[in-house]
Amino acid sequence: MNDIIKEIEDAELKEKVDDFHVGDTVKVYGKIKEGNRERIQVFEGTVVKMQGGSNRATFTVRKTSGGIGVEKTWPLHSPNVEKVEVVRRGKVRRAKLNYLKGRVGKRAKVKELR
């Protein structure tokens, strides 16, 4: 039974996954379906956490929109995620950046990796 599930999960994996880490500022190109039309919407923010493995892997991106923090969780191997483009690399020492939720302005930034 376990081998059958493993084969199905392996078939769902993307061949090429974009290389990014927690703390990076990324642009996520997501497919949005509205009625019978399909378009691509860009969501730009900081990667707050990555979790899971295999085809269940997800990552969460946080941005501030109109003074309100917005977090969105994306499945890494989803066909609805067109691509993930790294805008800048971040220097962090944590696996999950939950402390960014309580910060505003300059304090909510992540230092750039040089």
Side-chain angles (χ1 to χ4, degrees):
M1 182 69 178
N2 200 11
D3 294 333
I4 297 169
I5 294 171
K6 180 98 171 108
E7 287 178 24
I8 294 170
E9 286 181 353
D10 289 343
E12 297 295 322
L13 295 175
K14 286 184 179 177
E15 290 85 32
K16 184 178 178 286
V17 179
D18 301 306
D19 183 39
F20 61 95
H21 303 285
V22 174
D24 294 349
T25 302
V26 296
K27 286 184 182 179
V28 182
Y29 293 83
K31 290 182 185 175
I32 304 292
K33 198 165 193 179
E34 295 172 334
N36 58 355
R37 292 181 21 181
E38 196 173 275
R39 65 183 177 87
I40 294 178
Q41 186 174 20
V42 181
F43 189 88
E44 183 175 352
T46 305
V47 178
V48 176
K49 66 180 174 181
M50 296 182 78
Q51 63 186 16
S54 183
N55 70 332
R56 298 186 194 109
T58 60
F59 62 98
T60 303
V61 179
R62 179 178 177 83
K63 74 173 184 176
T64 304
S65 179
I68 299 171
V70 179
E71 285 189 5
K72 197 163 186 181
T73 302
W74 302 86
L76 187 61
H77 294 283
S78 172
N80 291 333
V81 176
E82 187 72 25
K83 68 177 179 176
V84 179
E85 180 182 306
V86 178
V87 177
R88 67 186 194 101
R89 299 274 179 193
K91 180 182 178 184
V92 293
R93 296 170 66 178
R94 305 236 180 285
K96 294 185 171 50
L97 305 179
N98 293 321
Y99 65 90
L100 289 179
K101 293 178 186 177
R103 298 192 177 184
V104 181
K106 273 189 176 180
R107 295 182 68 201
K109 286 187 179 180
V110 175
K111 288 185 182 178
E112 190 166 359
L113 189 66
R114 294 177 199 252

